[in-house]
């Protein structure tokens, strides 16, 4: 849960605390009671950890912040861009939420499409699909200063996720199994 960016580290800690509350687990030592939903106070919950959302109304839509940055040539590709991104279309996110509500399953589920992708594949494809310029390459060492820690991490070091457990326990599968079939196409 540690990240070199203090804002990102605080966000991760806050999300982890919310997940503990939803799942009914006690908080870290010294944090006090988890409150309603703490262990033994009721049924366990469900946490859906979505992949990077794309589609209408997201940052990856043509009109979204990421789409606009790509169209303007302002999202470069760090050298060696080996970070793996697991995408998920917003409609598939809705389908997973419905499956979770209708299921008796509890716990944490990663919800992604079936094709985790390295940045050096998805970013050029996304730029082409949008009709934008090919992303320029920048030295990896400059990426955190040019893009911010999170985006640089996503493009260079992220590991991606798989949704096998959500498929099995929730009976869910993505309607768009690959980002190639929709990222930038809306």
């Amino acid at each position: 849960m540690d990240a070199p960016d203090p804002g990102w580290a605080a966000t991760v800690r806050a999300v982890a605390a919310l997940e503990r509350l939803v799942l009914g687990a006690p908080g870290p030592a010294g944090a006090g009671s988890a409150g309603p939903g703490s262990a033994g106070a009721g049924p366990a919950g469900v946490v859906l950890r979505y992949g990077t959302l794309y589609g209408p109304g997201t940052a990856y839509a043509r009109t979204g912040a990421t789409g606009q940055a790509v169209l303007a040539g302002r999202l470069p590709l760090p050298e060696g861009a080996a970070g793996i991104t697991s995408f998920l279309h917003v409609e598939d996110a809705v389908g997973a939420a419905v499956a979770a509500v209708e299921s008796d399953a509890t716990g944490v589920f990663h919800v992604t499409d079936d094709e985790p992708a390295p940045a050096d594949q998805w970013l050029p494809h996304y730029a082409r699909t949008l009709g934008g310029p090919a992303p320029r390459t920048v030295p990896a060492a400059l990426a955190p200063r040019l893009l911010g820690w999170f985006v640089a991490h996503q493009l260079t070091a992220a590991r991606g996720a798989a949704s096998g457990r959500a498929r099995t326990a929730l009976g869910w599968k993505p309607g768009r199994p690959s980002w190639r079939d929709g990222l930038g196409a809306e």
Side-chain angles (χ1 to χ4, degrees):
M1 285 197 271
D2 292 327
D5 178 83
W8 181 247
T11 298
V12 170
R13 284 191 301 274
V15 169
L18 289 171
E19 287 184 356
R20 282 191 301 275
L21 289 171
V22 167
L23 297 171
S33 168
S38 61
V46 173
V47 170
L48 300 179
R49 293 179 179 166
Y50 292 134
T52 299
L53 294 172
Y54 71 94
T58 70
Y60 288 81
R62 174 178 291 280
T63 58
T66 304
Q68 290 296 296
V70 168
L71 282 168
R74 292 189 324 262
L75 185 57
L77 195 59
E79 289 173 337
I84 305 295
T85 300
S86 296
F87 287 100
L88 182 67
H89 192 277
V90 291
E91 291 176 4
D92 290 330
V94 170
V98 169
V101 168
E102 293 177 346
S103 172
D104 292 331
T106 60
V108 176
F109 300 92
H110 294 275
V111 181
T112 67
D113 74 11
D114 295 339
E115 191 180 351
D120 63 359
Q121 288 181 21
W122 73 258
L123 185 53
H125 174 90
Y126 179 45
R128 278 191 307 277
T129 302
L130 288 174
R136 69 185 188 285
T137 303
V138 298
L142 291 179
R145 284 193 289 178
L146 293 172
L147 303 169
W149 179 84
F150 177 75
V151 174
H153 177 79
Q154 181 185 16
L155 296 175
T156 62
R159 294 185 309 228
S163 60
R165 188 163 175 268
R167 285 174 167 268
T168 303
L170 303 177
W172 171 86
K173 68 178 186 174
R176 288 180 178 83
S178 173
W179 54 272
R180 293 177 194 275
D181 300 327
L183 181 65
E186 284 82 27

